Amino acid sequence: MQPHDDHIDRGNDIFDRDSVPGFTELFSRSAGSAAICVAVIDGDVDLDHECFRGADLQTIDPFGTGSVAGRALEHGTHVTSIIFGQRGSAVEGIAPGCRGLVIPLFGSDIDGEFKPATQVQLAQAVSLAADRGAQIINISGGQRSISGVEETFLADTIRRCTDQGILIIAAAGNDGCDCQHIPASNPHILAVGAMRHDGTPLDFSNFGAIYRSNGILAPGEDILGARAGGSVWRKTGTSYATPVVSGVAALLLSMQIELGYTPDPRAVFRAIMRSSSPCDPKVETDCTRVLSGRLDVAAAMRAIEQPEGEPYEEQKFHLLTNGVNMSEYNQQTEEVATMLAPDTADTNSAMIIPQEHDAAIVPSECSCKGGSEPCGCNNKPSQQASPARPMLVYALGQIGLDFGTEARRDSFSQQTGRNVSSNAEMVEYLSSDPASAASLHWTLTIDETPVYAIAPTGPFAAATYDRMRDFLRAQITEGVERVSIPGTIGGMRRLLNGQVVPLIIPEHRGMYSWTTQSLVSAVLGEAPKAKEAMLEYTDRSVGIHQFLSRIYYEIRNLGVTAQERAMNYAATNAFQLQAVYGDAIKSGLKLDSIDVERSPICKPGSDCWDVKLSFFNPTKRFEQARRVYRYTIDVSDIVPVTVGTMRQWDVY
């Protein structure tokens, strides 16, 4: 490794390639396969920059962040160019031949500073990336956390991505402490810290204990990238080390295709982690700052060429070898903050980064001043495109009310003379003045956490507001536990507490409310009087309660991905459950697992998923085969629909 020299002219090299063994070889071997998709969840991106000319990039903006000038646009443009900058341009990205999804999560305020996002929003963005086919998800941002334990929605989303084989790569954070950032602290995520050109950890790069099991160091000093508007510059931080690893991972996946293997992002995760160059305690004074090791592309390539045969136990392998007690670690508590923000200790904080690294602007071959023709700047058509299809949602939760601002709350209080903090009084008022419903912020909450706002539009808006009012009344007076809200995402809405949530444009025809008991009664009918019949009735009732409870609590989700929408619709389709449980109970079977997988049979233009319920006999677990019931749900429309008949078979 060569020592760092601020005066070395590296041209359009993103970083000193010699600082990472094998990087030059991999970079020269491939520009990446178009079959590999990398999602960048960050700020928006200036895709008019000449380095993106020819790149296969699509912007999906479910939160309405938009291309507002400011730090978020600068951050997103720089991060994205490290992966997708085209060869021969001012920024030669690492994997420019791969397909990319740009999902703006962070915005900029009127002063150009970051507008942070919530963990729920991050979970929604990750779900969207998974739904659109991303094999790698880059997150150059995070929330500092004492415990490293994320909110349930985000944890569940990460788990589902892991189950699907998706690799999430996230920045370790720039606090310079023995601490960690969410989501990088999740053991299923590849966390990235930043090192200098000579391989020493940058002083501000976090080194929390969990990173010794899931984190590596990668180049993060003076990383070349595109600057919004047409120029380029070098910046420092874990934010920029992260896309270096994402780009390498994309090339390793492309290498798998080249070798005739099925692309396996989790195998790439294992290869990168196991091949990292470990700290030598005889030479280095503080190995905790090196995490599990330094990025070693040469060793990772060898691991891809000779894949291991045994399964990788992610936590067990690393936690045993690094002495981290996860059971104790996860028992730590903290008051979890609600906001996520990009890792910004990169170039603008003299307290963390030496001044000579601050915004070291490199002259660009195309500055775009005056909008000259070769630049492909703002006077040229942008590559940023609307998504080919809207972001569909089929979410389950409870209806809530919000005022958005204190002024709106005071206005309702003075106008109505009622206790506006009481949903019961607000429902009574709205019954006498239905038109006022449109002046309120209606929300969908899960476990008392608002995750969506709901704003009906179109010719059925009034009827939809009436239905939501009836849902809210039924929650208060009849104990309604769940409502279903199908629709599309149509921007964002700020709530009274300052939280910003995605806005659902609901579809009236798919909105229902129910209690678990009423759903069971609809399936089973009235309870029989005969004792023997009552025993079977009770067994069926318990079984359906168990299924619904697992969906509501164990497998709860935000209803964004196709799998999530299929699962949620399954929970509302009571009569399919009747057929399943009627047969299973007769055979003395109990529910074991619920899975969703893509259906092999589907009409053209549809999006079909099979919900599989696996049952077992608890008294003959090793003697009797498991029975699997499968029914197919088409989620291509706003309101899902079942397709065909239920199938069943035994698995020995």
Side-chain angles (χ1 to χ4, degrees), residues 13-17 19-20 23 26-27 38 40 78-84 91-95 136 138-140 167 169-171 190 192-195 197 216-225 234-235 237-252 268 272 294-297:
D13 286 353
I14 291 176
F15 61 92
D16 181 3
R17 299 180 185 178
S19 65
V20 177
F23 178 82
L26 181 62
F27 186 83
V38 182
V40 178
H78 195 124
V79 167
T80 303
S81 69
I82 294 170
I83 303 172
F84 295 107
V91 180
E92 293 196 335
I94 296 172
I136 298 170
N138 185 98
I139 305 172
S140 289
L167 172 56
I169 303 175
L190 176 51
V192 181
M195 67 182 184
H197 306 301
I216 61 168
L217 290 183
E221 181 182 39
D222 292 346
I223 305 299
L224 180 69
R234 293 188 181 274
K235 301 183 78 175
T238 60
S239 279
Y240 312 111
T242 302
V244 169
V245 177
S246 294
V248 168
L251 292 187
L252 292 174
V268 168
I272 291 174
R294 299 175 177 85
L295 178 65
D296 187 334
V297 175

Side-chain angles (χ1 to χ4, degrees), residues 297-498:
V297 175
M301 291 172 66
R302 291 194 296 271
I304 293 297
E305 290 171 338
Q306 300 175 347
E308 75 273 2
E310 73 279 3
Y312 177 57
E313 299 176 300
E314 293 171 27
Q315 287 192 35
K316 182 177 179 181
F317 175 81
H318 285 297
L319 298 179
L320 288 177
T321 55
N322 289 279
V324 179
N325 187 325
M326 277 299 294
S327 63
E328 294 180 1
Y329 184 79
N330 282 332
Q331 288 173 4
Q332 299 179 56
T333 59
E334 71 163 329
E335 294 181 1
V336 180
T338 59
M339 309 309 283
L340 284 155
D343 291 319
T344 58
D346 39 32
T347 62
N348 294 290
S349 176
M351 295 176 62
I352 299 175
I353 302 296
Q355 188 60 42
E356 62 262 31
H357 299 301
D358 186 32
I361 298 174
V362 179
S364 172
E365 297 177 359
C366 177
S367 67
C368 292
K369 292 181 179 179
S372 57
E373 184 67 21
C375 292
C377 300
N378 294 328
N379 64 323
K380 302 290 288 182
S382 172
Q383 286 177 276
Q384 301 188 49
S386 299
R389 53 191 170 91
M391 183 177 176
L392 301 180
V393 177
Y394 191 89
L396 308 181
Q398 286 199 313
I399 293 293
L401 288 178
D402 194 272
F403 295 92
T405 65
E406 290 288 352
R408 181 67 56 87
R409 176 189 173 93
D410 293 344
S411 173
F412 265 90
S413 179
Q414 296 170 16
Q415 177 183 347
T416 66
R418 299 174 184 267
N419 177 9
V420 294
S421 298
S422 168
N423 282 341
E425 291 200 30
M426 288 302 298
V427 166
E428 183 181 350
Y429 169 74
L430 292 174
S431 297
S432 62
D433 184 12
S436 291
S439 299
L440 294 167
H441 289 357
W442 294 78
T443 62
L444 185 73
T445 66
I446 302 178
D447 292 344
E448 301 183 358
T449 300
V451 294
Y452 293 108
I454 311 169
T457 60
F460 300 104
T464 305
Y465 277 117
D466 289 345
R467 179 165 293 186
M468 290 194 297
R469 184 194 65 216
D470 292 341
F471 286 172
L472 185 56
R473 178 188 291 111
Q475 288 174 191
I476 298 168
T477 62
E478 302 173 20
V480 161
E481 299 165 345
R482 295 290 183 279
V483 302
S484 62
I485 305 293
T488 58
I489 295 296
M492 305 295 292
R493 179 152 290 179
R494 183 176 296 277
L495 304 181
L496 182 61
N497 64 1

Side-chain angles (χ1 to χ4, degrees), residues 170-319:
N174 298 329
D175 305 293
C177 60
D178 183 359
C179 55
Q180 52 273 319
H181 268 212
I182 293 171
S185 55
N186 186 291
H188 299 295
I189 285 180
L190 176 51
V192 181
M195 67 182 184
R196 299 183 178 88
H197 306 301
D198 62 3
T200 58
L202 284 161
D203 294 339
F204 56 76
S205 184
N206 290 351
F207 50 97
I210 186 62
Y211 296 152
R212 296 199 293 277
S213 66
N214 76 326
I216 61 168
L217 290 183
E221 181 182 39
D222 292 346
I223 305 299
L224 180 69
R227 187 176 189 182
S231 62
V232 298
W233 54 356
R234 293 188 181 274
K235 301 183 78 175
T236 297
T238 60
S239 279
Y240 312 111
T242 302
V244 169
V245 177
S246 294
V248 168
L251 292 187
L252 292 174
L253 279 175
S254 303
M255 182 177 165
Q256 287 180 323
I257 295 176
E258 176 188 316
L259 294 170
Y261 302 140
T262 299
D264 185 350
R266 303 304 297 180
V268 168
F269 182 14
R270 298 192 290 269
I272 291 174
M273 288 298 300
R274 287 183 163 178
S275 64
S276 62
S277 177
C279 175
D280 185 352
K282 297 179 180 178
V283 177
E284 302 181 65
T285 57
D286 188 359
C287 283
T288 61
R289 289 182 171 271
V290 185
L291 312 187
S292 73
R294 299 175 177 85
L295 178 65
D296 187 334
V297 175
M301 291 172 66
R302 291 194 296 271
I304 293 297
E305 290 171 338
Q306 300 175 347
E308 75 273 2
E310 73 279 3
Y312 177 57
E313 299 176 300
E314 293 171 27
Q315 287 192 35
K316 182 177 179 181
F317 175 81
H318 285 297
L319 298 179

Side-chain angles (χ1 to χ4, degrees), residues 574-608:
F575 296 98
Q576 287 279 13
L577 299 180
Q578 180 185 31
V580 170
Y581 277 95
D583 185 75
I585 290 169
K586 289 179 181 178
S587 303
L589 303 178
K590 301 292 184 181
L591 180 64
D592 181 20
S593 63
I594 306 171
D595 298 297
V596 181
E597 61 184 37
R598 186 173 290 280
S599 177
I601 302 175
C602 199
K603 295 179 181 179
S606 296
D607 188 9
C608 297

Side-chain angles (χ1 to χ4, degrees), residues 524-546:
L524 301 179
E526 293 297 325
K529 295 181 180 179
K531 185 176 181 180
E532 291 185 1
M534 185 62 187
L535 290 175
E536 181 179 336
Y537 181 93
T538 301
D539 283 345
R540 291 191 184 193
S541 176
V542 170
I544 296 175
H545 269 283
Q546 181 188 30

